[in-house]
Structure formats: structure tokens, C-alpha cells
Amino acid sequence: MIRVLLADDQSLVRAGFKALLDAQADLEVAGEAADGDEALRKVRALRPDVVLMDIRMPVLDGLAATRRVTGDPDLKDVKVVMLTTFELDEYVFEAIRSGASGFLVKDTEPDELLRAVRAVVEGDALLSPGVTRRLISEFAARSKEPAAAGVLARLTEREREVMALVGIGLSNDEIARRLVVSPLTAKTHVSRTMVKLGARDRAQLVVMAYESGLVRPGWLG
């Protein structure tokens, strides 16, 4: 059972998401919060698998709450997905750098929301491929100058290759086809790369790919 915490200051939004999630056999809403401070308290008390976190909330905004969740070693298994009204919200990029696993627009299709929650738990995707590529493209345009690439020394040549493909938005199946290996082998390479770099999830691996200089703006195809 995947346990989800809903954090949004709009009760109607929470009610809609709750009805959708609770109708699934493998999903349940563990709790709700109307502001970031309440969300943080409930994350610590309930330890959900996923937090659907609105960016704009009173008391403590979603971005600050996300930083505190992802920065707490005791909450390392909690995945945060940001909720936003607009696909390319200016805060989304900072949220990804802060450790959020991805983002969803509030009017996303129900099936997309369900796929996203399950995917984030599995660590298999940064949400939908289309949204992922738009996010990565925008992130690349706004990213800082590459930091020292010493972190890449921990990786094998194949792992660097796989990390670069993750960085341009390819799924495990697409990586498998590109490298002519099985999807399971591609997934294993991605997982090992994340472990070696201490990445919480695929989203952080994308960030590291850009910030290490392994992938640069303009490489999207």
C-alpha cells in the first residue's frame, strides 16, 4: 500500500485528490495538511511514501517545507511531488534542486496523477516523459555553470553514459534501446548510479547530470 499525504490550502483540491487516491486498491491517503508547517508535522508523524505538496501555502510555503523534508535524514524515504497551477512555475526548478522528486499541475488527468505517484515511489521516472523533457529543457536553460566534475569519478564509463541519457530525459526503456541492452539492465545501471552518487531519486540524478557538466543545454533531442 502506497501512503500519500495531501498538503494544499484548498480543501476542494484535497477532497478531489483524496477521492481519486482512496478509490485505488494500492493507494491510500494517510493524512491531509492545509499549510506547510502542518505538512511538516504530519510527514514526521505519519512517514508517508509520497507527499503531494502545493507550492503556495500559508504559514510555511511548500518549497520551504520540501527543503526541510528532503534535508532530514530520518525522512530520506519520503518522496515529495510539488503541485502547481502552471507547468513551468518559477519555483519548480528550485524545488527540484531542493530534492523534490517532480511536479504535477493541479488539473492533470486522473490517470496521470496515479501513474505519477506510483512512478515516484518506484524511482522509475520523473513523472510523465513530456513534462520531464520540458522541465529538463527549462532547467538546462536556467542552470548554473557546471561545478567540479569530481563526483563523476565514482562512476564507470557505462554509468556515466547512462546518467547522461537520464539527464536528457530518457526513460529506462528508451535507455535500453539506445544502448541495446535489456530494460532490467538499464534500470540496474540507473539504480547503481543513484546509489554511488547518493541521489534520492531520478530527479536529483538529472540535476547532478547538469551541475557536473556531464550534460549541457542544447543536448536535448
Side-chain angles (χ1 to χ4, degrees):
M1 184 67 71
I2 298 172
R3 302 171 66 250
V4 182
L5 177 71
L6 302 176
D8 194 296
D9 61 340
Q10 297 181 0
S11 58
L12 284 177
V13 171
R14 296 198 310 273
F17 282 0
K18 179 176 172 56
L20 175 64
L21 294 167
D22 280 343
Q24 309 304 308
D26 61 332
L27 302 173
E28 70 172 358
V29 174
E32 299 181 41
D35 60 65
D37 187 60
E38 184 183 9
L40 194 57
R41 292 198 308 272
K42 289 195 173 180
V43 167
R44 288 169 174 159
L46 301 172
R47 303 298 172 98
D49 300 297
V50 179
V51 183
L52 295 181
M53 183 92 74
D54 188 20
I55 287 182
R56 295 177 179 84
M57 290 188 291
V59 185
L60 184 71
D61 67 38
L63 193 57
T66 295
R67 286 197 195 98
R68 296 187 190 183
V69 171
T70 60
D72 187 338
D74 290 338
L75 303 176
K76 62 183 177 60
D77 294 327
V78 178
K79 308 295 186 184
V80 179
V81 176
M82 306 303 298
L83 298 174
T84 179
T85 305
F86 305 104
E87 272 191 359
L88 295 179
D89 188 291
E90 62 181 300
Y91 295 111
V92 166
F93 311 101
E94 185 59 34
I96 296 298
R97 282 200 182 97
S98 298
S101 296
F103 74 101
L104 286 171
V105 289
K106 291 186 179 181
D107 62 353
T108 190
E109 292 295 325
D111 286 347
E112 181 68 20
L113 171 68
L114 298 175
R115 280 196 299 269
V117 170
R118 293 175 178 126
V120 165
V121 170
E122 292 297 322
D124 286 340
L126 179 63
L127 309 182
S128 72
V131 171
T132 296
R133 291 196 176 98
R134 285 196 294 275
L135 170 64
I136 291 172
S137 178
E138 192 72 17
F139 177 84
R142 299 180 182 208
S143 63
K144 305 170 184 176
E145 287 298 311
V151 65
L152 301 179
R154 306 172 198 170
L155 306 180
T156 65
E157 184 176 347
R158 175 46 62 94
E159 287 165 349
R160 292 189 192 193
E161 189 175 11
V162 167
M163 182 177 175
L165 294 175
V166 170
I168 63 172
L170 299 193
S171 67
N172 288 345
D173 286 344
E174 291 169 329
I175 291 172
R177 289 194 293 271
R178 181 75 66 92
L179 300 180
V180 195
V181 298
S182 72
L184 179 59
T185 297
K187 182 176 181 179
T188 298
H189 282 311
V190 172
S191 297
R192 286 178 179 169
T193 301
M194 287 168 55
V195 169
K196 285 186 177 182
L197 298 180
R200 286 172 57 95
D201 50 34
R202 203 178 186 98
Q204 280 203 324
L205 199 59
V206 170
V207 174
M208 289 179 176
Y210 279 99
E211 293 191 337
S212 67
L214 183 64
V215 178
R216 295 184 177 85
W219 287 16
L220 297 175

